[in-house]
C-alpha cells in the first residue's frame, strides 16, 4: 500500500512506542495518529524497559531516573501537558499528520478493519445505525468505531495544535 510512497520523513506507522504509564493521554493521541503504542499499568521502570527491548520500541517517559537503568533509546518528555507532549514527540520523531486518522483501536492498539454497514446493524445503537455510514471494527477487543462528534473534535484539536 504505502510502500510506493517513499518519503524521507518517518511516518507515524514506522515508529513503535512504549509509553510510560504516567503518559496515558499522550498514548491515546499517538494512537489517533495511527502510531503503534503499547501502554499499561505494568509499563514503568524496568517493566517499561523490558517491553521496549522485546519489540524494539522507542520509550516515552517523564521519569528522569530511567536513564540510570540503562534503557534502550528513549525520549524524556518535558511537559506535564499532553498537548506539549504530543508536540514534542511529533517534532523529535519527525511525525506528521497523515491520512487517515483513527486507523487503530484507542483502547487496545489493534489496527481497525473497515466493516460494511449492514454487518454492524445488530452491534450498534439504532440511532447510530440510522445516522452513520462508515464503521470500523477492532479484531482485538471487538469495539465498533464510527466517526462521531468526538472524532471531529479530536481532528479540530489536532489542527489547533498546529500539527496539520
Ligand atoms: Zn481494540
Amino acid at each position: 500500500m504505502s510502500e510506493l510512497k517513499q518519503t524521507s520523513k518517518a511516518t507515524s506507522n514506522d515508529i513503535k512506542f512504549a509509553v510510560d504509564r504516567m503518559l496515558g493521554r499522550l498514548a491515546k493521541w499517538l494512537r489517533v495518529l495511527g502510531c503503534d503504542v503499547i501502554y499499561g499499568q505494568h509499563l514503568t521502570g524496568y517493566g517499561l524497559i523490558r517491553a521496549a527491548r522485546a519489540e524494539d520500541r522507542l520509550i516515552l517517559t517523564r521519569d528522569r531516573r530511567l536513564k540510570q537503568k540503562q534503557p534502550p533509546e528513549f525520549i524524556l518528555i518535558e511537559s506535564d501537558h499532553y498537548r506539549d507532549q504530543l508536540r514534542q514527540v511529533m517534532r523529535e520523531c519527525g511525525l506528521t499528520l497523515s491520512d487517515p486518522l483513527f486507523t487503530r483501536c484507542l483502547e487496545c492498539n489493534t489496527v481497525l478493519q473497515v466493516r460494511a454497514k449492514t454487518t454492524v446493524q445488530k452491534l450498534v445503537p439504532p440511532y447510530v445505525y440510522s445516522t452513520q455510514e462508515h464503521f470500523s471494527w477492532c479484531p482485538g477487543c471487538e469495539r465498533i468505531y464510527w466517526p462521531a462528534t468526538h472524532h471531529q473534535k479530536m481532528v479540530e484539536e489536532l489542527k489547533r495544535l498546529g500539527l496539520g
Side-chain angles (χ1 to χ4, degrees):
M1 264 182 354
S2 58
E3 282 170 57
L4 296 170
K5 210 173 64 183
Q6 293 287 340
T7 60
S8 56
K9 264 192 169 179
T11 67
S12 39
N13 291 321
D14 290 339
I15 306 178
K16 298 191 294 181
F17 297 99
V19 176
D20 199 308
R21 70 175 179 199
M22 62 180 84
L23 296 171
R25 280 183 104 172
L26 176 62
K28 206 161 208 176
W29 278 97
L30 286 168
R31 283 180 183 160
V32 169
L33 298 181
C35 297
D36 182 343
V37 177
I38 54 166
Y39 168 75
Q41 282 309 304
H42 63 297
L43 293 180
T44 190
Y46 286 112
L48 183 62
I49 290 170
R50 260 196 309 277
R53 277 227 176 84
E55 297 180 331
D56 202 16
R57 290 173 180 274
L58 176 61
I59 292 175
L60 305 179
T61 185
R62 292 263 302 136
D63 180 5
R64 295 184 177 280
R65 291 164 308 167
L66 194 79
K67 204 163 36 180
Q68 296 153 14
K69 299 179 174 133
Q70 295 168 336
E73 198 184 350
F74 69 100
I75 292 177
L76 189 62
I77 299 296
E78 293 152 8
S79 173
D80 274 328
H81 304 283
Y82 76 94
R83 290 188 179 96
D84 294 330
Q85 294 170 352
L86 190 59
R87 276 204 199 93
Q88 183 190 354
V89 174
M90 292 190 75
R91 189 178 62 238
E92 295 198 16
C93 295
L95 301 179
T96 51
L97 268 197
S98 59
D99 266 353
L101 298 168
F102 304 98
T103 54
R104 204 172 271 278
C105 180
L106 300 185
E107 298 302 325
C108 79
N109 196 45
T110 306
V111 174
L112 299 177
Q113 294 176 1
V114 174
R115 286 284 290 258
K117 180 170 175 170
T118 49
T119 67
V120 300
Q121 185 163 15
K122 294 198 174 69
L123 306 173
V124 298
Y127 174 77
V128 170
Y129 189 78
S130 64
T131 55
Q132 300 292 322
E133 294 303 320
H134 303 286
F135 296 90
S136 312
W137 172 72
C138 173
C141 67
E142 307 205 322
R143 277 185 173 75
I144 306 272
Y145 286 86
W146 57 89
T149 343
H150 73 271
H151 189 125
Q152 191 51 40
K153 277 190 190 132
M154 286 175 121
V155 173
E156 281 162 16
E157 167 106 33
L158 286 168
K159 285 195 180 131
R160 263 202 304 279
L161 285 169
L163 300 173

